[in-house]
Amino acid sequence: AENYLCVRILPYQWLLQQRIGLAQRLLETTNESIEHIAAHCGFSSAATLRLHFQRLLHTSPQAYRHTFHHWQ
């Protein structure tokens, strides 16, 4: 018999992870401002994006972007 790990996630948590994932992709691939990315991803402000980004990924959006755009 196979064992499956069942992880329960609340709809809000799932949505937050999707929004942060989109923010990650935009930070990696665009030069849009953090404010623009926050609005595009459904956050009420750049500060709210920063708060959730830091909580989930343990880094700031700016520092995360820097790892992909260090040459700029």
Side-chain angles (χ1 to χ4, degrees):
E2 293 185 38
N3 292 325
Y4 292 95
L5 176 62
C6 181
V7 178
R8 293 185 180 193
I9 185 168
L10 296 173
Y12 172 76
Q13 292 171 319
W14 179 86
L15 180 59
L16 185 58
Q17 289 177 355
Q18 298 304 304
R19 288 177 172 173
I20 293 295
L22 176 57
Q24 285 179 273
R25 289 188 295 280
L26 292 172
L27 289 165
E28 292 167 14
T29 61
T30 75
N31 288 319
E32 294 291 342
S33 68
I34 304 298
E35 290 77 14
H36 178 85
I37 290 173
H40 184 83
C41 295
F43 291 99
S44 60
S45 67
T48 303
L49 168 61
R50 287 185 192 100
L51 174 73
H52 291 295
F53 204 95
Q54 183 73 41
R55 282 184 180 167
L56 288 174
L57 301 175
H58 308 287
T59 189
S60 69
Q62 192 65 35
Y64 182 85
R65 170 178 270 168
H66 184 71
T67 64
F68 291 90
H69 300 277
H70 61 277
W71 61 88
Q72 295 179 345

